[in-house]
Amino acid sequence: MTVYLVGAGPGGVDTLTMRGFRLLERAEVVVHDRLVAQDVLALIPSGAERIDVGKHKGMAASQGLINALLVSLAKRHDCVVRLKGGDPFVFGRGGEELIVLREAGVPVEIVPGVTSAIAAPAVAGIPVTHRGIACGAVIVTGHAGLDPEIDFAELCRRGMTLVILMGVEQRETIARHLISGGLAAHTPLAVIERACTPGQHVVRAKLEGLASLDVTSPAVIVIGAVAALGGATLGALADNQFV
Ligand code: SAH
């Protein structure tokens, strides 16, 4: 009957909302992605069907198949939970699933989740907006580098924090793009790996050091003056605290 598009948060059960928790407890079938934590998956009732459509490298359940699967499951079950890491609408393709389900006449409820785009910086002590330092934030995918049509260097120079998801592999290209666009090489940045999990790790650097950082996905890259906050010397914007 109803498909619930649920955000699982970036970490384990501690970052799941109560609404998500309650829906998982009564789910008949759960269709989930790769980034959903094991302790969240453990909440799925033993009698419920569990379908992993996680996109592993080279082996992806196509979005078309996932959409069709959700429509057909909705015909057979009262409570279908579509579980995604973070928030379902932040690079989660939740919007596409919503459109297909609505077109098929399937009732949908959206259960927002804590997004890594904001939570990962937050747990590192980095506010993505900060009065007098950052007037806003731009959340962008870095999986193919940064879009050359958009002047991200200028946005950042004018006080926007850049929050880059899926950017680890292209970090060298991203740094080159921003520096050649006029963003200062000493602009502070932070990379937060596996935020809100026991493996959480925060690396602070300057833009010029991004390419050579030893970091792995999943990670959020935060670029801008706020990335200097929350370090050992909370509040200091001095250059000397960076590697
Ligand atoms: N819908 C998700 C994002 C999906 S895109 C959300 O709202 O968080 C996948 C990207 O999200 C990863 O490549 C990484 O950049 C980021 N990400 C997801 N979980 C993360 C975590 N626990 N720590 C750091 N980055 C994370």
Side-chain angles (χ1 to χ4, degrees):
M1 188 58 182
T2 303
V3 173
Y4 298 88
L5 285 178
V6 178
V13 281
D14 289 345
T15 57
L16 180 68
T17 65
M18 282 308 294
R19 179 72 182 148
F21 180 87
R22 292 193 176 114
L23 283 168
L24 276 178
E25 280 186 323
R26 64 180 182 85
E28 292 161 50
V29 51
V30 178
V31 180
H32 69 88
D33 284 345
R34 188 170 55 96
L35 275 179
V36 177
Q38 285 304 319
D39 62 352
V40 173
L41 296 177
L43 298 172
I44 299 170
S46 53
E49 194 183 344
R50 185 169 143 174
I51 305 172
D52 179 358
V53 291
K55 297 186 174 75
H56 301 273
K57 276 217 172 81
M59 191 205 92
S62 88
Q63 191 61 46
L65 286 178
I66 296 172
N67 296 346
L69 174 69
L70 292 173
V71 172
S72 91
L73 288 172
K75 290 185 181 138
R76 288 184 277 130
H77 299 279
D78 283 333
C79 180
V80 178
V81 171
R82 173 68 175 113
L83 191 61
K84 293 163 176 292
D87 181 272
F89 285 174
V90 178
F91 300 121
R93 305 191 72 168
E96 293 164 55
E97 292 171 14
L98 173 66
I99 290 168
V100 170
L101 288 163
R102 288 241 165 104
E103 277 171 2
V106 175
V108 183
E109 181 186 317
I110 316 299
V111 183
V114 174
T115 180
S116 64
I118 294 170
V123 292
I126 299 169
V128 292
T129 71
H130 193 84
R131 200 154 60 94
I133 295 181
C135 59
V138 179
I139 299 169
V140 65
T141 171
H143 88 275
L146 293 176
D147 185 343
E149 299 293 314
I150 301 170
D151 194 345
F152 288 105
E154 175 70 0
L155 288 174
C156 199
R157 271 205 310 270
R158 288 181 176 273
M160 288 282 179
T161 304
L162 296 187
V163 180
I164 305 172
L165 273 60
M166 297 174 277
V168 166
E169 283 182 23
Q170 294 293 327
R171 59 192 182 281
E172 184 178 351
T173 323
I174 291 168
R176 209 176 333 113
H177 175 117
L178 291 172
I179 291 172
S180 68
L183 191 58
H186 63 265
T187 303
L189 71 82
V191 182
I192 305 99
E193 302 171 272
R194 300 174 296 280
C196 310
T197 77
Q200 176 175 302
H201 187 230
V202 182
V203 179
R204 288 166 194 276
K206 295 178 188 176
L207 184 53
E208 64 196 353
L210 178 60
S212 57
L213 290 183
D214 183 17
V215 287
T216 55
S217 185
V220 172
I221 302 171
V222 189
I223 302 175
V226 289
L229 300 173
T233 50
L234 185 76
L237 281 167
D239 268 358
N240 59 13
Q241 62 181 296
F242 304 108
V243 294

